[in-house]
Amino acid sequence: RLFVYFFLINLFGCLFSIAPVAAKESYVTVVNPVRSRIHWNDSGALESQINLILDKNIPATWLIQYSNLSDKQAMNSLKSLPANQEIGLFLEVDEKLADDSLVPYLYGDGDWARPDKVFLSGYSPTERLRMLDKIFASFKEIFGYYPKSVGVWYIDAVSLNYIVDNYAITAVLDCSDQYQTDKYGLWGKPWGNPYYPRKLNPLLPASTAS
């Protein structure tokens, strides 16, 4: 079954946290999306976050961008995490993912965070699936299994259904509301409650789990 969670707190540059709340039980889920090293040149940034989590013995999920998969230092740190630390994927498109997937990328045309560059929905359905196959295959080559969780700011129905059907994803962390930040806006999704997304529109809760 697929649940959708939400970004709530931007801790710094490449790392985030979320706090989904169920109807009858309050809890906190710690998720750390890790962007590629171009956003955090300090090699100690990731280690500091890992040490903080481990020192407090907090179960957490680490969502890694495609470029991290070829970063030996980052991979050594993440592969050595104990069993209560989950590794998943952060599905932002960057130059390396597009290039390695043979997908055209808008080099030098606006900010990297523009939605038509960083979101899968900025590309044709065929290009989206090619990038998804590339990042999931690369993840499995390194870790030996496919991830169960992914993170995105926004994911379209084509991409979401594909990774559920082909890679058995069970949870998505995404953004609930964001008004005109990074040249796009999201509005009206449920706040702070996991939900089953509709197959044709993941912005809306489904009426049933099926």
Side-chain angles (χ1 to χ4, degrees), residues 103-125:
V103 169
Y105 186 82
L106 296 173
Y107 283 95
D109 186 2
D111 190 81
W112 67 270
R114 255 177 36 184
D116 59 340
K117 297 175 73 172
V118 75
F119 292 166
L120 289 163
S121 57
Y123 303 83
S124 73

Side-chain angles (χ1 to χ4, degrees), residues 53-91:
I53 295 294
L54 297 184
D55 287 346
K56 300 297 184 181
N57 195 29
I58 301 172
T61 294
W62 303 82
L63 302 175
I64 54 179
Q65 198 171 9
Y66 175 76
S67 296
N68 296 131
L69 296 172
S70 57
D71 185 331
K72 292 184 178 180
Q73 184 180 28
M75 287 300 97
N76 287 338
S77 297
L78 293 168
K79 289 175 70 175
S80 63
L81 291 174
N84 68 341
Q85 304 295 307
E86 179 194 17
I87 307 296
L89 282 171
F90 194 35
L91 299 180

